[in-house]
Amino acid sequence: SQTIHQWPATLVQPVGSPLSLECTVEGTSNPNLYWYRQAAGRGLQLLFYSVGIGQISSEVPQNLSASRPQDRQFILSSKKLLLSDSGFYLCAWKQGHEQYFGPGTRLTVT
Amino acid sequence: DQQVKQNSPSLSVQEGRISILNCDYTNSMFDYFLWYKKYPAEGPTFLISISSIKDKNEDGRFTVFLNKSAKHLSLHIVPSQPGDSAVYFCAASVEYGNKLVFGAGTILRVKS
Protein backbone atom coordinates (compact mmCIF):
# COMPACT_ATOMS: atom_id res chain seq x y z
CA SER A 1 0.00 0.00 0.00
CA GLN A 2 1.03 3.58 -0.51
CA THR A 3 2.33 5.71 2.34
CA ILE A 4 3.51 9.28 2.49
CA HIS A 5 6.04 10.67 4.96
CA GLN A 6 6.87 14.21 5.94
CA TRP A 7 9.57 15.56 8.20
CA PRO A 8 10.13 17.21 10.42
CA ALA A 9 6.79 17.09 12.22
CA THR A 10 7.35 20.45 13.88
CA LEU A 11 9.84 23.22 13.28
CA VAL A 12 10.52 26.59 14.90
CA GLN A 13 12.73 28.86 12.84
CA PRO A 14 13.77 32.52 13.17
CA VAL A 15 12.88 35.08 10.54
CA GLY A 16 15.48 35.15 7.78
CA SER A 17 16.63 31.56 8.25
CA PRO A 18 16.46 28.94 5.48
CA LEU A 19 13.89 26.16 5.26
CA SER A 20 13.84 22.64 3.90
CA LEU A 21 10.84 20.35 4.30
CA GLU A 22 10.90 16.88 2.84
CA CYS A 23 8.16 14.59 1.57
CA THR A 24 8.57 11.03 0.34
CA VAL A 25 6.03 8.59 -1.03
CA GLU A 26 6.27 4.80 -0.92
CA GLY A 27 4.39 2.15 -2.85
CA THR A 28 3.82 4.06 -6.07
CA SER A 29 5.86 5.28 -8.99
CA ASN A 30 5.77 8.60 -10.84
CA PRO A 31 3.06 10.08 -8.64
CA ASN A 32 1.77 13.62 -8.97
CA LEU A 33 2.95 15.40 -5.81
CA TYR A 34 1.66 18.53 -4.13
CA TRP A 35 2.60 21.03 -1.43
CA TYR A 36 -0.20 22.83 0.43
CA ARG A 37 -0.19 25.28 3.30
CA GLN A 38 -2.92 25.74 5.86
CA ALA A 39 -2.71 29.06 7.71
CA ALA A 40 -4.46 29.37 11.06
CA GLY A 41 -8.24 29.20 10.61
CA ARG A 42 -7.99 28.95 6.85
CA GLY A 43 -8.44 26.33 4.17
CA LEU A 44 -5.68 24.57 2.29
CA GLN A 45 -3.80 26.64 -0.26
CA LEU A 46 -2.00 24.86 -3.10
CA LEU A 47 1.61 26.06 -3.30
CA PHE A 48 3.33 23.76 -5.82
CA TYR A 49 2.67 20.60 -7.73
CA SER A 50 4.85 18.25 -9.75
CA VAL A 51 3.97 15.69 -12.40
CA GLY A 52 7.49 14.27 -12.61
CA ILE A 53 11.18 14.62 -11.75
CA GLY A 54 12.35 18.19 -12.23
CA GLN A 55 8.86 19.40 -13.21
CA ILE A 56 7.46 22.00 -10.82
CA SER A 57 4.42 24.23 -11.22
CA SER A 58 4.03 27.18 -8.88
CA GLU A 59 0.57 28.30 -7.90
CA VAL A 60 1.31 31.20 -5.58
CA PRO A 61 4.26 33.58 -6.04
CA GLN A 62 6.14 33.94 -2.75
CA ASN A 63 9.54 33.31 -1.23
CA LEU A 64 9.13 29.54 -1.27
CA SER A 65 10.40 27.12 -3.89
CA ALA A 66 10.00 23.41 -4.55
CA SER A 67 12.14 20.73 -6.10
CA ARG A 68 11.70 17.11 -7.09
CA PRO A 69 15.13 15.50 -7.24
CA GLN A 70 13.80 11.94 -7.28
CA ASP A 71 10.60 10.28 -8.43
CA ARG A 72 9.13 9.90 -4.96
CA GLN A 73 10.73 12.88 -3.21
CA PHE A 74 9.37 16.40 -3.05
CA ILE A 75 11.14 19.20 -1.19
CA LEU A 76 9.86 22.62 -0.12
CA SER A 77 12.50 25.28 0.49
CA SER A 78 13.07 28.89 1.33
CA LYS A 79 16.24 30.93 1.45
CA LYS A 80 14.87 33.42 3.98
CA LEU A 81 11.74 32.79 6.02
CA LEU A 82 9.15 35.48 6.72
CA LEU A 83 6.76 35.61 9.66
CA SER A 84 3.91 35.04 7.21
CA ASP A 85 5.40 31.65 6.27
CA SER A 86 4.16 30.18 9.54
CA GLY A 87 1.56 27.49 9.04
CA PHE A 88 0.85 23.82 8.61
CA TYR A 89 2.52 22.41 5.49
CA LEU A 90 1.06 19.36 3.85
CA CYS A 91 2.36 17.13 1.10
CA ALA A 92 -0.04 15.06 -0.98
CA TRP A 93 -0.02 12.57 -3.83
CA LYS A 94 -2.72 11.90 -6.40
CA GLN A 95 -4.49 8.69 -7.28
CA GLY A 96 -7.36 8.91 -9.71
CA HIS A 97 -9.31 12.02 -8.84
CA GLU A 98 -8.34 11.97 -5.18
CA GLN A 99 -5.36 13.36 -3.34
CA TYR A 100 -3.97 11.75 -0.21
CA PHE A 101 -2.16 13.75 2.40
CA GLY A 102 0.83 13.24 4.63
CA PRO A 103 0.87 13.99 8.36
CA GLY A 104 2.04 17.59 7.88
CA THR A 105 4.75 19.85 9.29
CA ARG A 106 3.90 22.61 11.74
CA LEU A 107 6.22 25.56 10.98
CA THR A 108 6.45 28.49 13.36
CA VAL A 109 8.57 31.44 12.27
CA THR A 110 9.60 33.62 15.21
CA ASP B 1 -11.41 34.78 -5.31
CA GLN B 2 -13.14 32.11 -3.27
CA GLN B 3 -14.31 29.55 -5.78
CA VAL B 4 -15.32 27.11 -3.04
CA LYS B 5 -17.16 28.39 0.01
CA GLN B 6 -18.17 26.75 3.24
CA ASN B 7 -20.33 29.40 4.83
CA SER B 8 -20.80 27.71 8.19
CA PRO B 9 -17.63 27.91 10.30
CA SER B 10 -19.03 25.44 12.81
CA LEU B 11 -21.86 22.98 13.42
CA SER B 12 -22.96 21.23 16.60
CA VAL B 13 -25.04 18.03 16.45
CA GLN B 14 -26.30 15.52 18.97
CA GLU B 15 -24.93 11.99 18.77
CA GLY B 16 -27.17 9.75 16.65
CA ARG B 17 -28.67 12.62 14.67
CA ILE B 18 -27.86 13.72 11.14
CA SER B 19 -25.00 16.12 10.38
CA ILE B 20 -25.33 18.16 7.20
CA LEU B 21 -22.31 20.07 5.96
CA ASN B 22 -22.73 22.45 3.05
CA CYS B 23 -20.51 23.79 0.31
CA ASP B 24 -21.09 26.22 -2.55
CA TYR B 25 -18.94 26.77 -5.61
CA THR B 26 -18.77 29.26 -8.44
CA ASN B 27 -16.75 27.56 -11.19
CA SER B 28 -18.94 25.45 -13.47
CA MET B 29 -15.81 23.76 -14.88
CA PHE B 30 -15.14 21.77 -11.71
CA ASP B 31 -15.23 18.09 -12.68
CA TYR B 32 -15.08 16.35 -9.31
CA PHE B 33 -15.94 17.20 -5.73
CA LEU B 34 -14.40 15.75 -2.59
CA TRP B 35 -14.84 15.86 1.17
CA TYR B 36 -11.97 15.55 3.61
CA LYS B 37 -11.93 15.19 7.38
CA LYS B 38 -9.14 16.68 9.43
CA TYR B 39 -8.14 16.30 13.07
CA PRO B 40 -5.85 18.91 14.69
CA ALA B 41 -2.17 18.56 13.82
CA GLU B 42 -2.87 15.81 11.28
CA GLY B 43 -3.18 15.70 7.51
CA PRO B 44 -6.68 15.63 5.97
CA THR B 45 -8.21 12.21 5.36
CA PHE B 46 -10.18 11.58 2.18
CA LEU B 47 -13.82 10.71 2.94
CA ILE B 48 -15.93 10.60 -0.17
CA SER B 49 -16.14 12.12 -3.63
CA ILE B 50 -18.62 12.66 -6.43
CA SER B 51 -18.27 13.21 -10.14
CA SER B 52 -19.89 16.29 -11.62
CA ILE B 53 -22.09 14.04 -13.75
CA LYS B 54 -23.71 12.41 -10.73
CA ASP B 55 -26.04 13.81 -8.08
CA LYS B 56 -25.50 11.38 -5.21
CA ASN B 57 -22.81 9.10 -3.86
CA GLU B 58 -23.10 7.01 -0.73
CA ASP B 59 -20.49 5.22 1.37
CA GLY B 60 -21.66 3.79 4.66
CA ARG B 61 -22.76 6.61 6.97
CA PHE B 62 -21.59 9.26 4.48
CA THR B 63 -23.62 10.55 1.54
CA VAL B 64 -22.69 13.42 -0.73
CA PHE B 65 -25.32 15.24 -2.77
CA LEU B 66 -24.56 17.49 -5.72
CA ASN B 67 -26.96 20.09 -7.12
CA LYS B 68 -25.25 21.44 -10.24
CA SER B 69 -27.93 23.99 -11.07
CA ALA B 70 -27.49 25.56 -7.64
CA LYS B 71 -23.72 24.94 -7.60
CA HIS B 72 -24.16 23.37 -4.19
CA LEU B 73 -23.05 20.16 -2.55
CA SER B 74 -23.63 18.71 0.86
CA LEU B 75 -22.26 15.94 3.02
CA HIS B 76 -24.70 13.99 5.19
CA ILE B 77 -23.44 11.90 8.10
CA VAL B 78 -26.00 9.53 9.59
CA PRO B 79 -25.91 8.66 12.41
CA SER B 80 -23.38 11.14 13.77
CA GLN B 81 -20.84 9.80 16.26
CA PRO B 82 -18.54 11.64 18.70
CA GLY B 83 -15.54 10.42 16.65
CA ASP B 84 -16.88 12.42 13.70
CA SER B 85 -15.94 15.63 15.52
CA ALA B 86 -13.33 17.24 13.27
CA VAL B 87 -12.90 19.90 10.61
CA TYR B 88 -14.50 19.00 7.29
CA PHE B 89 -13.17 20.46 4.06
CA CYS B 90 -14.98 20.56 0.78
CA ALA B 91 -12.74 20.52 -2.30
CA ALA B 92 -13.34 20.83 -6.02
CA SER B 93 -11.18 19.44 -8.77
CA VAL B 94 -9.96 20.95 -11.98
CA GLU B 95 -7.93 19.15 -14.60
CA TYR B 96 -9.22 15.73 -13.46
CA GLY B 97 -7.82 16.03 -9.95
CA ASN B 98 -4.53 17.67 -10.83
CA LYS B 99 -5.57 20.70 -8.82
CA LEU B 100 -7.90 20.89 -5.85
CA VAL B 101 -9.51 24.09 -4.62
CA PHE B 102 -10.49 23.90 -0.95
CA GLY B 103 -13.11 25.63 1.12
CA ALA B 104 -12.19 27.15 4.49
CA GLY B 105 -13.63 24.21 6.43
CA THR B 106 -16.46 23.59 8.88
CA ILE B 107 -15.83 22.46 12.45
CA LEU B 108 -18.24 19.67 13.37
CA ARG B 109 -18.86 18.90 17.03
CA VAL B 110 -20.90 15.82 17.84
CA LYS B 111 -22.15 15.87 21.42
CA SER B 112 -22.75 12.67 23.33
Side-chain angles (χ1 to χ4, degrees):
Chain A
S1 65
Q2 299 88 354
T3 56
I4 182 168
H5 304 278
Q6 288 186 243
W7 62 88
T10 60
L11 192 58
V12 180
Q13 292 284 96
V15 168
S17 64
L19 173 73
S20 181
L21 302 181
E22 189 165 343
C23 169
T24 59
V25 181
E26 295 177 0
T28 185
S29 60
N30 197 31
N32 284 11
L33 295 174
Y34 304 82
W35 278 112
Y36 288 85
R37 177 173 61 201
Q38 183 187 16
R42 305 284 294 276
L44 279 68
Q45 180 186 36
L46 178 62
L47 302 175
F48 301 94
Y49 72 96
S50 171
V51 299
I53 295 174
Q55 300 179 65
I56 307 295
S57 295
S58 175
E59 290 296 302
V60 182
Q62 53 200 324
N63 70 322
L64 299 172
S65 62
S67 62
R68 187 165 176 180
Q70 300 179 40
D71 182 41
R72 284 169 283 183
Q73 184 185 32
F74 203 22
I75 296 173
L76 183 69
S77 304
S78 174
K79 292 183 180 178
K80 287 186 179 182
L81 283 168
L82 306 172
L83 284 174
S84 58
D85 292 324
S86 293
F88 193 52
Y89 287 82
L90 290 153
C91 181
W93 66 281
K94 174 176 171 286
Q95 181 177 40
H97 286 88
E98 292 96 35
Q99 292 183 18
Y100 297 89
F101 288 84
T105 295
R106 170 70 61 194
L107 172 66
T108 303
V109 182
T110 60
Chain B
D1 63 340
Q2 286 187 290
Q3 297 187 67
V4 178
K5 293 183 182 180
Q6 294 178 257
N7 292 317
S8 298
S10 64
L11 174 68
S12 186
V13 172
Q14 198 67 35
E15 180 180 7
R17 306 295 290 269
I18 184 172
S19 295
I20 300 177
L21 298 133
N22 294 303
C23 181
D24 296 298
Y25 63 95
T26 56
N27 188 345
S28 58
M29 298 304 292
F30 287 140
D31 51 29
Y32 230 78
F33 300 90
L34 307 91
W35 284 95
Y36 286 84
K37 174 182 178 180
K38 185 181 180 303
Y39 294 117
E42 295 184 10
T45 302
F46 169 72
L47 271 179
I48 191 169
S49 62
I50 187 168
S51 165
S52 61
I53 62 173
K54 303 230 170 140
D55 55 20
K56 178 182 175 181
N57 187 28
E58 189 172 356
D59 183 1
R61 295 187 298 116
F62 303 92
T63 303
V64 56
F65 295 92
L66 176 62
N67 182 333
K68 285 191 69 176
S69 61
K71 294 191 173 67
H72 178 83
L73 69 154
S74 60
L75 175 67
H76 293 210
I77 306 174
V78 183
S80 300
Q81 300 173 354
D84 296 329
S85 297
V87 179
Y88 288 78
F89 289 100
C90 167
S93 158
V94 293
E95 300 179 13
Y96 303 103
N98 272 333
K99 297 183 187 180
L100 294 183
V101 180
F102 282 82
T106 297
I107 300 170
L108 174 65
R109 297 187 185 91
V110 180
K111 299 177 287 186
S112 55

